């Protein structure tokens, strides 16, 4: 068992303690230690310094450190046995690994789960939920149903689109439980059973299932991911020969290839879609993940005024939020809102 040096642990938590100044000291220390566990800097199976040892390094009282350790034990982050000290562990997910669509039924302790390439919650998520909980009282007198989403969130999403070069008002935004829900809403509104929908190949498997679930027939368009090439000429031929009414496209860090459609291809693709009268559903779930210094092209939706753009906080923040959105042309808003109500009544207020 690896024993973590007191100075090492103190060095990890010191910046986090400095960053958060509100709340009791024991809660701040517990939160700093918990963040270090969840991001892997305090590895599971390692042994923390004793309460007395850490007290001397973090300039807090013994009582404070003892309460912080007790809180971590209660939350499942520490296992303390007489003679073995306090050992770091990652809490078991309540209910276990029950969703076979996203995770295997079981993993060995030394295995990495690559079935879902999604990050853990970032630092500050717990505090964000606490702030939201403090504001929840204002919503409790109402019914709690917001099919379009909370106005404050619709405003933020609209601002984000506008900042990226796609002018958007809050009235054009629908909040959904993830980007995939936005795809489902859009497809049910755009197509009739047996209509053809063009999708890239390869593409996100759940999107194929969603498009087919809306009754569509799939038209595949290969992309050359090694050269980030959508082959716009071939795309035009595929649209003409198939008579596709809609398309599902991932121009930003394409899933699963990672390809990025450049600005010139976006302009040509947009012109082609407009000419053919094809409505694209553009998935921007990964748009917030450029590498350092990487310049992003303008949104594909800017080239197709009739397009539907879906996005999500799952990759940029955390999948557990279950918050996504749709950016909808004004002329289609009523139809999309009606389609949405046939699937669900909105995301949770919190």
């Amino acid at each position: 068992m690896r024993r973590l040096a007191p100075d090492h642990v103190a060095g990890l938590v010191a910046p986090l303690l400095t960053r958060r100044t509100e709340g009791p000291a024991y809660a701040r220390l517990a939160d700093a230690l918990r963040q270090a566990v969840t991001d892997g800097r305090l590895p599971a199976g390692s042994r923390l310094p004793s309460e007395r040892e850490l007290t001397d390094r973090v300039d807090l009282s013994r009582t404070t450190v003892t309460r912080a350790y007790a809180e971590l034990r209660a939350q499942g982050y520490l296992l303390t046995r007489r003679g073995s000290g306090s050992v770091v562990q990652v809490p078991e997910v309540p209910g276990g690994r029950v969703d076979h669509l996203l995770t295997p039924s079981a993993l060995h302790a030394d295995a990495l789960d690559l079935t879902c390439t999604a990050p853990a919650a970032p630092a500050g998520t717990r505090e964000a939920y606490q702030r939201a909980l403090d504001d929840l009282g204002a919503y409790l007198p109402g019914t709690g149903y917001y099919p379009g989403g909370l106005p404050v969130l619709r405003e933020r999403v609209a601002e984000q689109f506008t900042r990226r070069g796609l002018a958007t008002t809050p009235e054009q935004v629908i909040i959904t439980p993830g980007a995939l829900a936005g795809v489902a809403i859009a497809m049910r509104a755009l197509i009739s059973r047996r209509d053809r929908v063009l999708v890239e190949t390869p593409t996100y498997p759940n999107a194929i299932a969603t498009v087919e679930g809306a009754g569509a027939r799939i038209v595949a368009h290969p992309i050359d991911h090694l050269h980030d090439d959508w082959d716009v000429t071939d795309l035009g031929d595929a649209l003409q020969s198939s008579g596709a009414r809609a398309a599902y496209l991932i121009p930003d860090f394409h899933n699963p290839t990672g390809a990025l459609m450049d600005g010139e291809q976006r302009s040509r693709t947009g012109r082609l879609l407009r000419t053919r009268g094809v409505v694209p559903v553009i998935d921007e779930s990964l748009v917030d993940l450029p590498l350092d210094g990487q310049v992003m092209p303008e949104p594909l939706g800017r080239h197709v005024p009739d397009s539907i753009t879906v996005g999500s906080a799952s990759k940029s923040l955390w999948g557990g939020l279950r918050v996504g959105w749709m950016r909808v042309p004004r002329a289609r808003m009523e139809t999309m809102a009606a389609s949405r109500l046939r699937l669900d009544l909105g995301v949770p207020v919190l």
Side-chain angles (χ1 to χ4, degrees):
M1 181 187 300
R2 177 187 175 189
R3 185 179 183 280
L4 300 172
D7 288 336
H8 174 69
V9 175
L12 289 178
V13 301
L16 298 173
L17 285 171
T18 303
R19 189 181 309 155
R20 178 183 168 185
T21 57
E22 73 280 2
Y26 81 88
R28 290 189 284 116
L29 177 59
D31 187 56
L33 290 167
R34 182 170 45 248
Q35 289 183 32
V37 172
T38 56
D39 65 19
R41 289 175 297 157
L42 292 179
S46 57
R47 178 179 171 181
L48 284 184
S50 69
E51 295 164 8
R52 178 184 56 78
E53 290 174 321
L54 192 59
T55 295
D56 296 336
R57 303 311 197 280
V58 295
D59 195 26
L60 295 171
S61 71
R62 175 73 175 273
T63 300
T64 296
V65 176
T66 298
R67 288 195 66 182
Y69 274 34
E71 181 167 318
L72 293 174
R73 278 193 291 272
Q75 295 172 351
Y77 288 90
L78 282 186
L79 177 63
T80 302
R81 292 196 180 103
R82 186 178 297 277
S84 299
S86 296
V87 178
V88 174
Q89 63 179 14
V90 177
E92 289 291 329
V93 175
R97 295 171 141 326
V98 296
D99 194 337
H100 67 281
L101 295 178
L102 288 177
T103 58
S105 58
L107 282 176
H108 298 295
D110 59 348
L112 294 175
D113 183 357
L114 300 181
T115 62
C116 183
T117 52
T125 302
R126 183 171 176 268
E127 291 80 7
Y129 268 103
Q130 184 59 59
R131 290 193 298 272
L133 191 60
D134 292 341
D135 294 338
L136 184 61
Y139 297 92
L140 296 180
T143 65
Y145 294 115
Y146 289 87
L150 294 185
V152 63
L153 182 52
R154 297 173 75 182
E155 290 173 4
R156 292 292 183 90
V157 172
E159 290 170 1
Q160 180 173 285
F161 274 116
T162 301
R163 187 165 54 248
R164 292 178 47 233
L166 185 57
T168 304
T169 66
E171 292 73 28
Q172 292 179 262
V173 174
I174 298 175
I175 304 301
T176 64
L180 194 60
V183 176
I185 292 167
M187 287 299 169
R188 281 163 171 76
L190 290 173
I191 65 172
S192 301
R193 186 161 296 277
R194 307 300 289 173
D195 280 344
R196 289 173 170 82
V197 174
L198 182 138
V199 303
E200 302 138 332
T201 182
T203 194
Y204 178 37
N206 285 344
I208 295 177
T210 299
V211 173
E212 290 180 333
R217 300 171 64 183
I218 297 292
V219 177
H221 169 62
I223 63 170
D224 180 359
H225 66 276
L226 295 178
H227 301 93
D228 290 0
D229 185 6
W230 265 254
D231 193 343
V232 181
T233 300
D234 186 63
L235 174 62
D237 293 341
L239 291 175
Q240 182 175 15
S241 62
S242 67
R245 294 190 56 186
Y248 170 76
L249 303 173
I250 313 174
D252 303 289
F253 310 121
H254 177 266
N255 182 356
T257 69
L260 178 65
M261 185 185 288
D262 64 31
E264 190 269 339
Q265 289 188 89
R266 290 176 192 236
S267 176
R268 291 177 60 205
T269 299
R271 184 165 56 250
L272 182 63
L273 293 168
R274 295 194 312 270
T275 301
R276 299 292 180 195
V278 177
V279 181
V281 178
I282 303 165
D283 190 338
E284 290 190 341
S285 297
L286 300 164
V287 73
D288 292 325
L289 303 180
L291 300 176
D292 289 345
Q294 188 172 15
V295 178
M296 291 297 295
E298 61 188 4
L300 177 57
R302 186 170 181 179
H303 299 281
V304 194
D306 199 30
S307 63
I308 313 295
T309 300
V310 301
S312 169
S314 295
K315 302 301 186 292
S316 55
L317 294 174
W318 184 44
L321 294 175
R322 302 315 313 137
V323 171
W325 47 83
M326 303 173 66
R327 191 249 182 215
V328 181
R330 289 182 178 85
R332 293 191 181 273
M333 193 63 183
E334 185 174 345
T335 303
M336 292 296 160
S339 177
R340 194 269 163 72
L341 289 173
R342 289 194 289 269
L343 291 176
D344 64 70
L345 298 178
V347 301
V349 170
L350 187 60

